Amino acid sequence: MTRHGKTLDKLKEAGYRLTPQRVMVLAALAGKPGHIGVDDIFRQVHASYPYIDVATVYRTLQLLKVLHLVTELDVGGSARYELIETEVHHHMVCRNCSRAFDFSPTYLEEFHHRLIQEFGFEPDLEHFAIGGLCSACARERR
Amino acid sequence: MTRHGKTLDKLKEAGYRLTPQRVMVLAALAGKPGHIGVDDIFRQVHASYPYIDVATVYRTLQLLKVLHLVTELDVGGSARYELIETEVHHHMVCRNCSRAFDFSPTYLEEFHHRLIQEFGFEPDLEHFAIGGLCSACARERR
DNA sequence: GTTAATGCAAACACTTTGCAGCCGC
DNA sequence: GCGGCTGCAAAGTGTTTGCATTAAC
C-alpha cells in the first residue's frame, strides 16, 4: 500500500467518490515529504492529466482538510498542505530557500502551558509553523 | 505629543515627506490599540479625506514597515499592522472574536534557544503571532 | 439512473504597479 | 522648481463559486 492508501480508504469510507483527480492530488501530496503548495500539486497532476483544473485541486484540499486527512499551513500568503501521518509535528520554514524542517511538539509544551495558565488562551498548535533562516542559508549568508 | 508623534519625526528624519495622507494613516494606527487591518485604516482615513486611495495606504504601510516603524502580522489571510512602541511583544489572536492580546518575548525564549541550539534555525520572532481561542470565547462556548 | 464531482469561466479579496499630475520641501 | 508622493486605473495573486456536463457508484 502506498503512503496515501489509508487516506484513500478513509475518503471512501466517509462516502466520497474516489475520482482519478482526487487520487492524483493525494499521490502528489504523498510524493513529496513535508508540506507542499497548491501550485506544486497542480503542476504535478497537470503533468499527467492536463485537463485538471485548479478549482478541483482547491476543492479536493478543502475536503481533505475538513476530513482531517491533511493539515493546512499558511506561512506568508499562500496555503501549503501535508498528508496527516502518524505523528503530530511542527514546521520550521526557511524564509530564504523555502525548505521545511520538522520539530516535535515538545518544543512548544512550555509555551503552550504558560499561555493557558497565565492567560487562559488556548493556542492553535495543530498547524503551527514558524518562519526563519535555516542553518544552511545562515552559513551561506556569511 | 500624540502617540504617533515620534513616528512622524522619524519619518521626517529619514528624509521622507510628511504628507497629510501619511499623517492620517499614522493617526489611524495610533487611534486604535493593537494591530489593525488595511481596510480599517482605509475606512478611517477615507471618512475624513475621501480622496485617499488604498494604494497610498499600502505604500505608506510598506514604507513604515521598511523603516521599522510598524510591525506586520498576517494571521489568516490579510495583513494587520501596529505602531512599534517601546517594547517588543507578541500577539495572541482569537480565532473567534479576532481580538488580540499581547505577551512578552520571554514566553518564547526557551523555544527560541532550543531551535537555534538543536537545529541552527533562527526563527523570525519579530512579527510573531499565534492564533487560538481566548478565555472569554472559550467560556462562552461552554 | 442518481447524484456528486469536474471543468470552465467568471468573480472574489487583497495587494502591487505604471503613469501623469501635484505638492511638500 | 525639483523630485518624491498621490490618485487613478489596471493588472497580478491566490482562492472561491455558479453552472452545465460528466462519470462514480
Side-chain angles (χ1 to χ4, degrees), chain B residues 27-93:
Chain B
L29 282 164
K32 289 197 180 179
H35 63 287
I36 159 178
V38 175
D39 52 338
D40 203 341
I41 296 172
F42 177 72
R43 264 196 303 274
Q44 274 188 71
V45 178
H46 190 265
S48 56
Y49 177 67
Y51 300 112
I52 189 81
D53 193 86
V54 228
T56 302
V57 177
Y58 276 104
R59 279 187 285 232
T60 302
L61 291 169
Q62 195 64 33
L63 174 65
L64 295 172
K65 190 174 79 176
V66 170
L67 296 176
H68 293 99
L69 300 175
V70 298
T71 46
E72 183 188 54
L73 325 175
D74 60 324
V75 177
S78 57
R80 306 183 74 80
Y81 297 85
E82 182 177 28
L83 273 185
I84 291 183
E85 310 251 21
T86 47
E87 297 182 87
V88 177
H89 58 270
H90 305 305
H91 300 272
M92 294 172 276
V93 182

Side-chain angles (χ1 to χ4, degrees), chain A residues 22 25-26 28-29 36-39 41-42 54-72 79-83:
Chain A
R22 285 177 177 169
V25 167
L26 280 168
L29 282 163
I36 159 178
V38 175
D39 52 338
I41 296 172
F42 177 72
V54 229
T56 302
V57 176
Y58 276 105
R59 280 187 285 231
T60 301
L61 290 169
Q62 196 64 32
L63 174 65
L64 294 172
K65 191 174 79 176
V66 170
L67 296 176
H68 292 99
L69 299 175
V70 299
T71 46
E72 183 188 54
R80 306 183 73 82
Y81 296 86
E82 182 177 27
L83 273 184

